[in-house]
Amino acid sequence: MINYKKFIQGSGPIRFATLLVTFLVVILVTQEQFFLISPLKTLELKLLDERFTRRGEFDIKDSSDVIILEIDQETYEQIPNSWPWPRLLFNKVVQNLESAGVKAIGIDLMWSNPDRVNPDYDTLMIQTIREYGNIVVSGKVNIEKEIQLLRADSKYSVSEYTDSTHTALDENFDNIFFIADSSIGIVQTPGDYDEVYRRYQPYVTTSNYPKPVPSFGFAILNKWWNLPPDSIAKRNDDGSYFTLGAKQIPAYDRTTMLINFYGADRTFPRINFYKVLDDERFTTKDEIDYGVPLDEWTMMDQSIFSDKIVLIGSTMPEDKDFFNIPISRGQREGDNIVAGVEFHANVIQNVIWNDYIKGQPQYIELLVLFLIGLVVFYISSYIKKKKIKHHFLLELFNFGLILLLAFLIYQVGIYLFVQYNYIVPIISPILMIVMSYFAVTAYHFITERSQNKLIKGMFSTYVSGDLVNELIKNPDKLKLGGEKRNLSILFSDIAGFTAFSEKLQPEELVEFINDYLTEMTDIVLANRGTLDKYIGDAIMAIWGAPLDNDRHEYYSCKTAIEMQQKVDELGSNWQLEGQNLINIRIGINSGNVVVGNIGGRNRFDYTVMGDNVNLASRLEGANKQYSTGIMISESTYEKVKDEFITRELDTIRVKGKVAPTTVYELVGFLSDEEATQKITRLKDYVEGLSEYKARNFEKAFTLFETSYEANNKEHASFVYMERCKYFIENPVEDDWDGVFTMKTK
């Protein structure tokens, strides 16, 4: 059996939402591992760039631990030697920097071949590197062939290799000075999908070298903290961070960290290479041309290099050592491009200052996506269930909330980055919002169709088509589980049906009953009633369920009168056809009842039950006592007395009830002249009832007798005549309350 309450109000949507949201979370989190949606990936990366732009640049020139010694156009113009310059010049620069108290030097130049001027200059450079022990040279590997999965530990050390092995390693790292003290740093770094460089590898592995090799920035950090040259920032067991000495560096993925860029090009302090070279022993082109010794190094405040890291590298476009980074000044196209030497400077400064961009852990991302999906599902579901005249306004409001939530997620992502260097996904939560919204829309479309089919199936034979459509339009008004409601209940029955049916053949009886019930049911449904059931020739109908009806008393009474009128109309036709006439009796009561699906596991009906239902049934039968057609209870009468013509019949105690009720005959509509005339003719009955209640039984008898004779032996008057006779002969007790107790149903 279908549990309709659960279908409409229960846990089905909860289970569906949970499963749906879980499925969407899995798709969003794992989609890059199985299939890449290029536009979405690009958009996510661009939103990361937007966060850098919104945060803006930092002025770190006076506080930076890194100074860039740039080889630019001016340097080329001031050094008389042609490129590539002899290594002697670099050795001189290193000597000057060391004398100024520099803490570490990184040379971001590819020295793959011996000095073209004098091989002894290479020997001198090697001696200098070994002497100071704080110099790192750059190296490269073939990315496509060499970079593999990284290893955190190795049983090998550089010192175990022979000179013959070094030759192969020199070729692999593309720098002949690796043999000086093994202090080499790999300058290559992985770019993102859109060829923007946002990440940095602490180390790489190569096929010709059995252990990880530090990247350029991390090799320099080894010098900064006096660590062995082959020290590696090891990845911890859960992959959440890399450890270098006492530093814990947040990992973005298995192999990289995110770079916290301080600004676009020229954020770090720069000094021309030739100015450090130009001491009293070196002559620049300007000094040659003008014959005046300038000696830039001698005049410079050399203390600026004390305890600093100096990176030597080219900023010439011809050298093509540039990176697209996620931050720009937005002043011109291409101003998000920085020289490689400054790219590495950002990483070094991040680690020294513990100034990292922290990414959201995946388990938190999963939880956030799951919660967002559920919130959107239930908010959208709640809004979609609301019914107003212009439903599209609700849908616009719902869509507006979706846009607002997406905007808030975007703003939260910006805020967390700007204030806390914390990066959270933006596209996947927004996608979750959009996908959940459309999933809710599809879900409600399907469930509404199923619900509409259910409602039509259950109520199309119970209520009118208009009510069915209203139920479909406003299913929130429908509660299929048991509930207490104030309703009006009508019972009708054919008087003397047993004797009547015996005069008909079975086929005739079935045809008659079908015709009769069809006519009566049409009247019930036309008056917004709900057909509860047929009991043989009897009809049970209710008003006020499944849809509320503030005038259920009125419609039930109107239905009763129209049913009697229809029987009179049918009687004229039956009489012409030679068939017997019938009379029907109707009882109506209004009050609180229990309404809902009532029955067994495999069979049930939408029906009502309670004392007020039983009273309505008893009133139908009580009509026999007074030969009336329609009897209504006091509770019904109080609601319709100003809209219908009625007369008080009696105060009775029906069988099975203790409390008495005053009952009334429903005579007709206020506009019905025949009903008005009937009440006028019954004025003696009305006066007689007053005298009867006052225990003036002799006077009451006379009035009832007059009414009886004047109204064609009106039976209610005759009932009271008989009672008056009895009470005249048998005086009532002092506690007599005028209540008549019915002995039969």
Side-chain angles (χ1 to χ4, degrees):
M1 181 185 74
I2 298 174
N3 190 321
Y4 296 107
K5 184 175 182 180
K6 283 188 177 181
F7 180 84
I8 292 179
Q9 298 174 310
S11 60
I14 297 175
R15 289 193 296 270
F16 176 82
T18 303
L19 291 173
L20 173 66
V21 170
T22 301
F23 172 75
L24 293 179
V25 167
V26 171
I27 291 295
L28 289 174
V29 172
T30 64
Q31 59 97 8
E32 285 191 33
Q33 301 175 20
F34 300 103
F35 56 93
L36 182 64
I37 304 175
S38 300
L40 296 180
K41 180 63 177 177
T42 301
L43 183 57
E44 183 69 73
L45 294 173
K46 293 304 179 186
L47 287 175
L48 176 57
D49 300 351
E50 171 68 13
R51 279 172 266 194
F52 274 106
T53 301
R54 291 280 292 272
R55 189 184 68 177
E57 296 184 285
F58 296 95
D59 184 4
I60 64 169
K61 282 186 169 62
D62 294 333
S63 58
S64 170
D65 293 295
V66 181
I67 296 175
I68 294 173
L69 216 59
E70 66 172 331
I71 300 172
D72 60 357
Q73 185 62 41
E74 186 178 359
T75 296
Y76 273 97
E77 292 172 355
Q78 290 299 324
I79 295 178
N81 306 76
S82 61
W83 186 263
W85 301 324
R87 305 274 159 72
L88 181 64
L89 301 186
F90 291 95
N91 189 73
K92 180 181 283 292
V93 168
V94 169
Q95 294 285 355
N96 287 343
L97 290 173
E98 295 290 352
S99 68
V102 73
K103 196 165 186 179
I105 299 173
I107 304 174
D108 186 13
L109 298 169
M110 288 298 103
W111 285 339
S112 307
N113 301 305
D115 192 292
R116 69 179 180 86
V117 176
N118 188 343
D120 290 340
Y121 292 162
D122 290 336
T123 302
L124 181 61
M125 191 69 189
I126 290 173
Q127 290 174 351
T128 301
I129 292 173
R130 287 175 175 171
E131 176 185 353
Y132 293 107
N134 63 351
I135 301 169
V136 174
V137 295
S138 63
K140 284 187 177 182
V141 293
N142 189 316
I143 291 293
E144 294 182 357
K145 295 182 179 179
E146 304 295 343
I147 295 182
Q148 304 169 347
L149 292 175
L150 307 183
R151 294 174 290 170
D153 295 293
S154 176
K155 62 183 179 180
Y156 302 101
S157 64
V158 176
S159 60
E160 295 176 348
Y161 281 84
T162 64
D163 290 340
S164 61
T165 306
H166 280 305
T167 303
L169 296 175
D170 297 342
E171 294 175 356
N172 190 53
F173 294 139
D174 203 20
N175 196 309
I176 64 173
F177 291 100
F178 172 73
I179 61 173
D181 69 347
S182 307
S183 297
I184 193 166
I186 304 302
V187 293
Q188 292 150 304
T189 192
D192 284 325
Y193 178 78
D194 55 354
E195 297 183 353
V196 175
Y197 291 81
R198 304 175 179 87
R199 298 176 292 137
Y200 201 81
Q201 285 181 305
Y203 55 87
V204 296
T205 58
T206 69
S207 61
N208 291 333
Y209 195 52
K211 67 175 298 180
V213 180
S215 56
F216 187 67
F218 278 81
I220 293 170
L221 289 167
N222 286 339
K223 301 300 183 180
W224 176 266
W225 285 304
N226 296 316
L227 298 173
D230 59 347
S231 295
I232 298 301
K234 298 178 181 178
R235 186 163 52 89
N236 71 323
D237 292 338
D238 64 6
S240 60
Y241 57 85
F242 301 97
T243 301
L244 182 67
K247 295 286 185 177
Q248 288 189 345
I249 303 149
Y252 179 66
D253 54 29
R254 291 184 65 253
T255 63
T256 64
M257 61 174 282
L258 277 174
I259 306 173
N260 188 10
F261 291 97
Y262 296 105
D265 191 42
R266 295 187 174 276
T267 300
F268 284 82
R270 293 190 183 188
I271 297 175
N272 292 104
F273 177 84
Y274 83 91
K275 291 183 179 181
V276 178
L277 176 65
D278 184 22
D279 56 16
E280 67 277 1
R281 294 172 297 172
F282 185 81
T283 303
T284 64
K285 285 186 178 181
D286 280 350
E287 291 174 328
I288 295 172
D289 292 340
Y290 298 107
V292 178
L294 299 176
D295 296 342
E296 296 275 4
W297 174 248
T298 305
M299 294 186 295
M300 187 184 301
D301 178 12
Q302 298 175 13
S303 65
I304 62 174
F305 295 103
S306 179
D307 291 327
K308 297 290 185 178
I309 294 172
V310 175
L311 301 183
I312 302 172
S314 172
T315 58
M316 292 290 290
E318 293 87 344
D319 292 327
K320 299 180 180 179
D321 185 18
F322 290 92
F323 293 86
N324 295 317
I325 64 171
I327 187 170
S328 68
R329 296 188 175 95
Q331 297 173 354
R332 57 184 173 79
E333 185 178 354
D335 66 358
N336 69 317
I337 298 175
V338 299
V341 67
E342 187 156 0
F343 180 83
H344 299 294
N346 279 275
V347 177
I348 295 168
Q349 197 64 70
N350 287 170
V351 179
I352 292 175
W353 283 349
N354 294 314
D355 194 9
Y356 308 114
I357 294 177
K358 297 173 283 293
Q360 186 180 64
Q362 191 171 68
Y363 76 91
I364 294 181
E365 181 183 1
L366 288 168
L367 179 61
V368 169
L369 288 175
F370 187 79
L371 291 177
I372 287 174
L374 287 182
V375 168
V376 171
F377 188 94
Y378 284 110
I379 289 178
S380 294
S381 293
Y382 178 79
I383 293 174
K384 287 179 180 293
K385 287 178 181 178
K386 294 297 179 183
K387 301 297 179 181
I388 62 173
K389 183 176 181 181
H390 302 292
H391 187 68
F392 74 93
L393 294 176
L394 271 181
E395 200 58 48
L396 285 177
F397 176 72
N398 192 4
F399 188 71
L401 283 180
I402 296 302
L403 293 179
L404 176 62
L405 185 56
F407 178 73
L408 288 176
I409 286 175
Y410 169 75
Q411 290 298 330
V412 167
I414 297 291
Y415 175 80
L416 291 175
F417 184 82
V418 171
Q419 296 297 322
Y420 303 104
N421 287 345
Y422 192 78
I423 181 171
V424 297
I426 291 179
I427 294 300
S428 55
I430 291 177
L431 273 179
M432 173 60 79
I433 292 172
V434 173
M435 293 167 71
S436 296
Y437 170 75
F438 283 110
V440 169
T441 302
Y443 172 77
H444 276 271
F445 175 77
I446 295 170
T447 53
E448 281 180 8
R449 288 193 64 180
S450 300
Q451 184 173 274
N452 294 348
K453 186 176 180 180
L454 164 68
I455 292 172
K456 280 187 176 181
M458 287 197 66
F459 291 99
S460 59
T461 57
Y462 294 158
V463 298
S464 67
D466 291 340
L467 281 182
V468 170
N469 291 333
E470 190 171 347
L471 281 173
I472 291 172
K473 189 177 180 181
N474 300 284
D476 53 315
K477 295 182 179 181
L478 176 62
K479 292 185 178 179
L480 290 170
E483 61 170 336
K484 181 181 288 187
R485 282 201 189 186
N486 188 272
L487 309 178
S488 288
I489 307 99
L490 176 150
F491 280 88
S492 73
D493 198 4
I494 297 177
F497 180 71
T498 302
F500 172 79
S501 62
E502 290 175 351
K503 300 175 182 178
L504 299 176
Q505 295 296 321
E507 297 83 2
E508 295 175 324
L509 180 61
V510 170
E511 183 180 357
F512 170 81
I513 287 296
N514 287 341
D515 291 343
Y516 165 75
L517 293 178
T518 297
E519 296 288 350
M520 297 300 103
T521 300
D522 287 347
I523 295 172
V524 170
L525 301 185
N527 283 287
R528 303 180 65 81
T530 300
L531 177 66
D532 188 290
K533 62 173 63 73
Y534 299 125
I535 310 171
D537 62 301
I539 296 173
M540 176 182 173
I542 59 174
W543 282 260
L547 288 177
D548 290 332
N549 188 332
D550 294 337
R551 302 190 68 202
H552 56 82
E553 298 91 352
Y554 168 81
Y555 281 107
S556 61
C557 292
K558 178 174 179 289
T559 299
I561 293 173
E562 291 179 358
M563 289 173 72
Q564 291 286 9
Q565 291 173 344
K566 177 57 71 173
V567 168
D568 291 341
E569 178 185 327
L570 293 174
S572 299
N573 297 331
W574 293 332
Q575 196 170 25
L576 292 174
E577 296 172 2
Q579 297 181 13
N580 295 322
L581 299 178
I582 62 168
N583 293 309
I584 63 171
R585 297 188 295 259
I586 299 173
I588 299 174
N589 181 38
S590 304
N592 290 328
V593 298
V594 175
V595 59
N597 286 311
I598 299 170
R601 176 174 299 175
N602 297 315
R603 182 177 177 81
F604 57 87
D605 290 311
Y606 185 79
T607 188
V608 295
M609 61 183 184
D611 285 344
N612 283 307
V613 179
N614 296 333
L615 178 58
S617 177
R618 298 293 186 269
L619 296 185
E620 180 273 315
N623 279 288
K624 291 184 288 186
Q625 180 73 23
Y626 308 93
S627 294
T628 50
I630 307 172
M631 185 181 293
I632 64 175
S633 67
E634 185 174 8
S635 59
T636 305
Y637 166 79
E638 290 297 332
K639 294 290 186 178
V640 302
K641 60 184 178 182
D642 296 328
E643 297 180 281
F644 295 95
I645 297 173
T646 61
R647 67 156 168 168
E648 182 179 344
L649 281 175
D650 206 347
T651 301
I652 64 175
R653 184 180 293 109
V654 299
K655 187 175 178 61
K657 295 276 287 183
V658 176
T661 181
T662 301
V663 294
Y664 299 81
E665 179 187 9
L666 183 63
V667 180
F669 297 103
L670 285 178
S671 58
D672 189 341
E673 292 185 6
E674 185 177 342
T676 302
Q677 293 173 3
K678 178 178 179 179
I679 288 299
T680 301
R681 292 194 301 267
L682 289 171
K683 61 183 181 64
D684 291 322
Y685 168 86
V686 175
E687 292 181 19
L689 187 59
S690 297
E691 297 296 336
Y692 175 80
K693 290 180 179 180
R695 304 187 184 188
N696 298 323
F697 298 117
E698 290 87 353
K699 188 174 182 179
F701 177 84
T702 302
L703 290 168
F704 285 129
E705 184 178 30
T706 302
S707 175
Y708 175 74
E709 295 296 338
N711 291 287
N712 194 24
K713 303 186 184 305
E714 198 269 326
H715 191 69
S717 298
F718 178 76
V719 169
Y720 277 104
M721 288 169 58
E722 293 297 311
R723 289 188 195 174
C724 289
K725 285 182 183 179
Y726 177 80
F727 289 135
I728 291 171
E729 296 173 359
N730 301 281
V732 298
E733 302 291 338
D734 292 339
D735 61 352
W736 180 78
D737 56 5
V739 175
F740 178 74
T741 300
M742 306 290 291
K743 303 299 183 182
T744 63
K745 295 183 179 180

